[in-house]
């Protein structure tokens, strides 16, 4: 129900006479429930997927643009501006799903990579260790996350993977004094 709600939200806002707004949804889940919900709702979306060790673009994100088949590897995260994010306020013109732990292969969704998931502690050390977020996370996504309010759904406080990622993208003082 939550994924269907998120997928229907832009259209529902419009139906209520409000401005159609899109979301950036960051997930550490491996399933494709989000993408399936957006496809069922006929709501366009882009995906940024972190590529795990052993994949062609390991240690980088790739961008799957709505309506395109071939992923765009993001070789220069500080320069890449291909996401549907515009203006100084970072408004989204389509929803962007950010898969911070990779994704299981699912040809129906367009994920063709075998074993593309960050799951072990060693994977996380390779992912987050020694590099600033700016060298890995595309600048548009990083800027949007750093300037936005975030709602966390379905995450336990004990989920160390998400906490480590958040500490990595928000170095120093946390937003609104969060720890």
């Amino acid at each position: 129900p939550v994924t269907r709600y998120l997928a229907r939200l832009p259209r529902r806002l419009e139906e209520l006479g409000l401005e159609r707004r899109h979301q950036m949804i960051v997930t550490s889940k491996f399933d494709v429930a989000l993408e399936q919900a957006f496809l069922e709702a006929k709501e366009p979306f882009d995906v940024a997927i972190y590529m795990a060790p052993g994949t062609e673009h390991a240690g980088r994100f790739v961008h799957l643009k709505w309506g395109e088949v071939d992923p765009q590897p993001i070789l220069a995260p500080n320069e890449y501006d291909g996401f549907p994010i515009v203006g100084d306020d970072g408004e989204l013109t389509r929803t962007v799903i950010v898969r911070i732990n990779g994704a299981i292969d699912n040809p129906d969704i367009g994920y063709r990579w075998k074993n593309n998931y960050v799951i072990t502690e060693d994977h996380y050390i390779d992912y987050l260790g020694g590099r600033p977020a700016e060298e890995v996370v595309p600048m548009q996504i990083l800027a949007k996350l750093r300037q936005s309010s975030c709602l966390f759904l379905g995450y336990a406080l004990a989920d160390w993977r998400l906490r480590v990622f958040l500490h990595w993208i928000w170095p120093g003082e946390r937003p609104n004094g969060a720890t």
Side-chain angles (χ1 to χ4, degrees), residues 41-91:
K42 296 180 176 52
E43 186 66 39
F45 63 95
D46 283 25
V47 185
I49 302 174
Y50 181 76
M51 301 306 290
T55 61
E56 182 181 356
H57 302 291
R60 302 188 181 284
F61 277 85
V62 298
H63 180 190
L64 288 171
K65 294 180 182 179
W66 176 253
E68 295 186 17
V69 176
D70 294 323
Q72 172 70 46
I74 301 172
L75 303 176
N78 297 3
E79 301 169 11
Y80 186 79
D81 62 357
F83 288 98
I85 304 171
V86 297
D88 292 337
D89 63 351
E91 185 174 333

Side-chain angles (χ1 to χ4, degrees), residues 129-171:
R131 298 185 294 175
E134 293 81 3
E135 289 182 14
V136 180
V137 182
M139 70 171 180
Q140 289 177 296
I141 291 172
L142 197 56
K144 184 69 174 168
L145 288 173
R146 287 179 171 168
Q147 74 184 17
S148 300
S149 297
C150 298
L151 171 65
F152 297 92
L153 298 171
Y155 292 99
L157 291 175
D159 186 348
W160 64 269
R161 300 169 306 156
L162 181 62
R163 288 194 341 258
V164 168
F165 181 81
L166 294 175
H167 277 266
W168 186 54
I169 64 167
W170 285 313

Side-chain angles (χ1 to χ4, degrees), residues 12-49:
R12 182 67 182 134
L13 290 172
E14 194 172 54
E15 290 169 356
L16 293 170
L18 301 169
E19 182 181 353
R20 185 180 181 94
R21 303 288 299 210
H22 301 279
Q23 310 147 84
M24 179 175 290
I25 302 172
V26 179
T27 183
S28 62
K29 304 291 185 196
F30 296 108
D31 63 37
V32 292
L34 266 170
E35 292 88 335
Q36 289 172 332
F38 275 82
L39 290 170
E40 288 170 11
K42 296 180 176 52
E43 186 66 39
F45 63 95
D46 283 25
V47 185
I49 302 174

